[in-house]
Amino acid sequence: AAPESDGSSSEGLGGAAGWAAVFREFGSFKVFMPAFAIFVCTANWQIIETALPPATLDALGWGTVQVSAVLGFNSILSMTMTVIAAILVKYLSDTTMVASGFFCWFVAGLLMDSWWIRGAPAWRFIVPTIIGLTGFPIIGPSLQALFSKAVIGRPEITPILGRMWSFFTMTGTIAGSIAPIFVGAMVLRSPEKIDSGTNAHELTSYALYVPIFSGLCIVGFLYDKFILHADDDGILLMDDSVVSERSSLLRANPEKRRSSVAALKAALHAETD
């Protein structure tokens, strides 16, 4: 006789039913917040990538060399912050790391809206860019860890785990497609509009989407931390051990491996769609 299904197989969760289950899971706050946050983080980055070159061209007369120099410096800064984040994550919780990164974007967004003005000194364009990009590498790894802790180790969603991870990744891709269009059409002011009025700001008030949505992420993750106690959660492995992003990859007992990456690989190689 065929063995009875334990509910963890992919039977009944293919096609539309599988995607319906994915969307139901993303209705959970702990699953939704990391996906929303990666969307916001990517959209925030686009205001720099899309608006900085034309804004500095109009306000400061910068060309590609000056803009490339600023972004090149920020590439070095991002690499440095990635190393610092790898150290800080051993001492700070994932939600604290993410909230701190979005606080950088919150401050940067307010400064961009108020400081990016025609005729302003160059440092008023550079400082908000540096502050915003400082938060970028702080957010990413901890966001993935929070999403992992929300979905890994739950047998009931193992059949749709691959789809959930793809949808989580897709949220950033969607933001990367929508945000440049929004910034170009609604956020960036044309030189003609600046010439025709008394408002010398390079950005419209729609630029406040950066601090507004970053603030929502901060509130959401603080709620997750202090009300839902997200940092008490971990990834449950086959040996009933619980791990998080701050767990050591080495254990005193060499026969038992402890790694969020190991847990993720084990789950993705399970019976999924």
Side-chain angles (χ1 to χ4, degrees):
E4 294 183 359
S5 173
D6 60 0
S8 63
S9 70
S10 58
E11 183 180 357
L13 286 179
W19 283 111
V22 168
F23 290 125
R24 282 196 302 271
E25 288 297 327
F26 273 89
S28 166
F29 187 84
K30 289 190 175 185
V31 176
F32 169 78
M33 273 308 301
F36 175 70
I38 197 172
F39 179 92
V40 173
C41 189
T42 306
N44 288 351
W45 159 255
Q46 293 301 325
I47 197 171
I48 293 177
E49 191 172 63
T50 305
L52 180 64
T56 52
L57 174 63
D58 178 71
L60 305 173
W62 279 10
T64 55
V65 174
Q66 293 89 339
V67 173
S68 297
V70 172
L71 296 180
F73 170 79
N74 280 287
S75 297
I76 299 174
L77 175 66
S78 296
M79 181 180 64
T80 304
M81 289 305 303
T82 300
V83 175
I84 294 174
I87 297 173
L88 290 178
V89 78
K90 298 179 181 179
Y91 306 99
L92 301 177
S93 67
D94 293 318
T95 51
T96 300
M97 292 287 290
V98 173
S100 300
F102 276 112
F103 180 76
C104 292
W105 276 113
F106 179 82
V107 174
L110 292 177
L111 294 180
M112 289 176 191
D113 179 66
S114 59
W115 280 7
W116 286 16
I117 302 174
R118 178 185 287 180
W123 64 267
R124 289 199 173 190
F125 289 82
I126 297 173
V127 170
T129 303
I130 292 175
I131 295 174
L133 294 184
T134 296
F136 201 81
I138 298 176
I139 296 172
S142 291
L143 266 186
Q144 295 184 13
L146 287 171
F147 187 77
S148 297
K149 288 188 287 185
V151 299
I152 301 297
R154 296 173 54 194
E156 71 275 14
I157 66 170
T158 297
I160 59 171
L161 192 57
R163 294 190 186 193
M164 292 190 66
W165 270 102
S166 65
F167 189 81
F168 172 73
T169 305
M170 242 187 341
T171 56
T173 304
I174 294 171
S177 301
I178 296 175
I181 300 173
F182 174 76
V183 171
M186 304 298 294
V187 175
L188 189 63
R189 300 183 70 214
S190 66
E192 292 76 19
K193 289 184 178 180
I194 298 175
D195 291 336
S196 63
T198 59
N199 183 4
H201 285 78
E202 296 289 341
L203 306 178
T204 69
S205 58
Y206 286 109
L208 291 174
Y209 84 84
V210 174
I212 289 174
F213 283 103
S214 297
L216 288 175
C217 288
I218 293 171
V219 172
F221 283 107
L222 291 180
Y223 174 81
D224 203 12
K225 178 181 179 67
F226 293 108
I227 305 300
L228 301 182
H229 304 289
D231 294 320
D232 296 335
D233 297 337
I235 300 174
L236 188 63
L237 300 185
M238 297 298 291
D239 61 357
D240 294 332
S241 60
V242 175
V243 299
S244 69
E245 187 67 19
R246 293 173 290 161
S247 300
S248 172
L249 294 179
L250 300 177
R251 301 183 66 180
N253 184 355
E255 296 181 357
K256 293 184 178 181
R257 299 180 62 189
R258 190 180 188 182
S259 164
S260 58
V261 175
L264 179 58
K265 287 183 177 179
L268 290 179
H269 283 80
E271 187 176 359
T272 67
D273 60 305

